[in-house]
Amino acid sequence: MAGLYIVPTPVGNMEDITLRALRILREADLILAEDTRTSGVLLRHYDISRPLLSHHKFNEHAAVEPLVERLLAGETIALISDAGTPGISDPGFLLAKSASEAGVEVSCLPGATACIPAVVMSGLPCDRFCFEGFLPQKKGRMSRMESLKGERRTMIFYESPRRLLRTLEQFAELFGSERRVCVARELSKVHEECIRGTLAEAVAHFAATEPKGEIVIVVAGDTSKPVKEKQNKYID
């Protein structure tokens, strides 16, 4: 069926893609890719040869209108990012919003994303959690962290290797060095690693061992204060 399809792609292991995703990519009139070089590796692996166009944060605003026009004309467009699900710390939201507002059918396939495996394997509570993605690098960074000091849910962050140690040190200072954390690295890849412990232990580990690859940080919520039970009030 014509429309916009948001298609998750593997975060590492190329086998982590669904049969439906492969079918949509083979049938699409156009594939939008965050980086055509990165996505080209995946498409060649599965012998998929369809028109490919760059769609990233630097050109998405200018590209949205002509893409919506193509969708309204009856084309099928598949949107993929370098890894995982488009829109989750990747381009995708603007096109999905514009397409749906124009009356285009927008579908998102279930599939790979790094945050869910990380929180499930962390050993921290995963019945309720909040996804924070990448923290601001400069302006608003500390105020965002401060706002999370009392967050009771497990928190999930994405981070780059070069900023990881600094981020863990800031977490330890704000949340307390004994707060539990899991640093998941290179999920589904050959060098997958999961470091669990306190923030102090994680800081010591990565101060001695240079981090590499894609990183997800899972931090325990604040359980220092008991939850107050709400009492129901009844009016006779």
Side-chain angles (χ1 to χ4, degrees):
M1 184 172 63
L4 175 65
Y5 289 84
I6 299 169
V7 182
T9 53
V11 297
N13 193 312
M14 286 196 184
E15 294 180 356
D16 296 336
I17 190 167
T18 68
L19 295 175
R20 184 183 174 206
L22 292 174
R23 178 178 62 79
I24 293 296
L25 292 175
R26 290 191 176 106
E27 294 177 356
D29 296 303
L30 174 67
I31 298 175
L32 301 176
E34 185 179 5
D35 187 325
T36 56
R37 294 165 299 179
T38 301
S39 298
V41 175
L42 175 71
L43 297 176
R44 286 192 296 272
H45 180 80
Y46 284 105
D47 196 25
I48 297 172
S49 179
R50 303 301 300 154
L52 192 61
L53 187 66
S54 293
H55 186 79
H56 45 71
K57 64 180 181 180
F58 301 109
N59 72 358
E60 62 178 340
H61 285 82
V64 162
E65 186 175 343
L67 287 172
V68 170
E69 290 177 359
R70 293 181 65 166
L71 288 163
L72 290 171
E75 290 194 23
T76 298
I77 297 179
L79 172 65
I80 60 178
S81 60
D82 288 350
T85 302
I88 306 298
S89 293
D90 278 327
F93 164 73
L94 184 60
L95 179 58
K97 176 178 181 291
S98 301
S100 62
E101 288 176 347
V104 173
E105 187 72 26
V106 178
S107 300
C108 181
L109 279 61
T113 183
C115 62
I116 298 302
V119 69
V120 171
M121 70 192 297
S122 70
L124 299 172
C126 56
D127 54 333
R128 297 179 70 241
F129 56 86
C130 61
F131 175 72
E132 291 294 322
F134 286 99
L135 290 165
Q137 294 184 32
K138 295 180 181 178
K139 186 178 179 180
R141 180 180 178 86
M142 294 310 298
S143 60
R144 174 78 69 81
M145 289 187 179
E146 287 280 357
S147 72
L148 295 170
K149 283 180 68 174
E151 175 58 64
R152 300 186 62 85
R153 295 169 294 178
T154 299
M155 297 170 281
I156 307 172
F157 304 87
Y158 288 164
E159 193 52 283
S160 72
R162 63 186 180 87
R163 290 194 298 268
L164 174 64
L165 183 58
R166 172 183 171 230
T167 298
L168 292 173
E169 289 172 338
Q170 290 174 326
F171 283 166
E173 182 179 347
L174 286 169
F175 303 155
S177 60
E178 294 304 304
R179 184 79 68 92
R180 304 294 296 181
V181 66
C182 170
V183 180
R185 188 179 69 83
E186 294 289 84
L187 289 172
S188 83
K189 300 179 185 178
V190 174
H191 299 293
E192 177 177 295
E193 181 181 51
C194 199
I195 303 298
R196 303 176 181 86
T198 65
L199 281 166
E201 290 169 339
V203 167
H205 174 83
F206 288 107
T209 307
E210 182 184 1
K212 296 179 181 179
E214 303 291 330
I215 293 169
V216 184
I217 308 172
V218 185
V219 183
D222 179 14
T223 57
S224 60
K225 297 179 181 178
V227 178
K228 292 183 179 180
E229 293 289 340
K230 291 183 178 180
Q231 294 183 349
N232 294 322
K233 294 183 179 180
Y234 297 94
I235 300 176
D236 294 331

